[in-house]
Amino acid sequence: MTVSLTEKAAVRLNSFLQDTATDKNEKPKGIRVSAKDGGCNGYEYAMSITSKPQDDDLVVQQDDITIYVDAKSAPLLQGMVIDFIEGMMESGFKFTNPNATDTCGCGKSFTAGDCTPNGVPCNQ
């Protein structure tokens, strides 16, 4: 499995996806997860709602959620776990990526060895 969700993340995403449905007959939506060039460490995580896979997407189904991972990002995200945390100082999705050799304090950017592009300053 390329990417997996904790129980908290799955509950939160299911709720969020239900809230974004505009029509009961609408095709079920899922999430697209990717690693984009950018962020303060070189790559940054991206997550968006979609119901249409790209031609080269890897598709994972977990807890009634369809997760689309683009082929270019798949090696960088292999084995990643997405969690949802709630706290007084920070709430949101947290990414635990075994391929990250370094991460930024913001938790949204990472380095993955020698293949990492140059980073840019954080916009916190």
Side-chain angles (χ1 to χ4, degrees), residues 26-33 48-59 66-70:
E26 183 178 33
K27 184 176 178 182
K29 293 182 180 181
I31 60 167
R32 172 166 287 110
V33 180
S48 61
I49 296 173
T50 188
S51 56
K52 298 178 185 175
Q54 301 294 324
D55 291 337
D56 62 350
D57 278 349
L58 300 173
V59 181
T66 304
I67 304 168
Y68 304 100
V69 181
D70 72 83

Side-chain angles (χ1 to χ4, degrees), residues 12 82-87 90-95 108:
R12 189 64 161 189
I82 301 174
D83 193 9
F84 189 82
I85 59 170
E86 290 184 83
E90 179 182 19
S91 295
F93 291 99
K94 179 181 178 187
F95 305 93
K108 295 177 182 18

Side-chain angles (χ1 to χ4, degrees), residues 16-51:
F16 187 73
L17 291 171
Q18 291 288 332
D19 289 347
T20 62
T22 55
D23 180 351
K24 293 187 190 275
N25 298 321
E26 183 178 33
K27 184 176 178 182
K29 293 182 180 181
I31 60 167
R32 172 166 287 110
V33 180
S34 61
K36 306 274 186 199
D37 289 359
C40 48
N41 274 22
Y43 288 114
E44 66 183 340
Y45 299 109
M47 203 163 65
S48 61
I49 296 173
T50 188
S51 56

Side-chain angles (χ1 to χ4, degrees), residues 61-102:
Q61 189 77 26
Q62 183 187 340
D63 297 312
D64 296 326
I65 299 170
T66 304
I67 304 168
Y68 304 100
V69 181
D70 72 83
K72 180 182 172 191
S73 298
L76 295 168
L77 304 179
Q78 180 65 36
M80 183 173 78
V81 177
I82 301 174
D83 193 9
F84 189 82
I85 59 170
E86 290 184 83
M88 290 183 64
M89 299 297 289
E90 179 182 19
S91 295
F93 291 99
K94 179 181 178 187
F95 305 93
T96 303
N97 186 348
N99 304 297
T101 55
D102 195 17

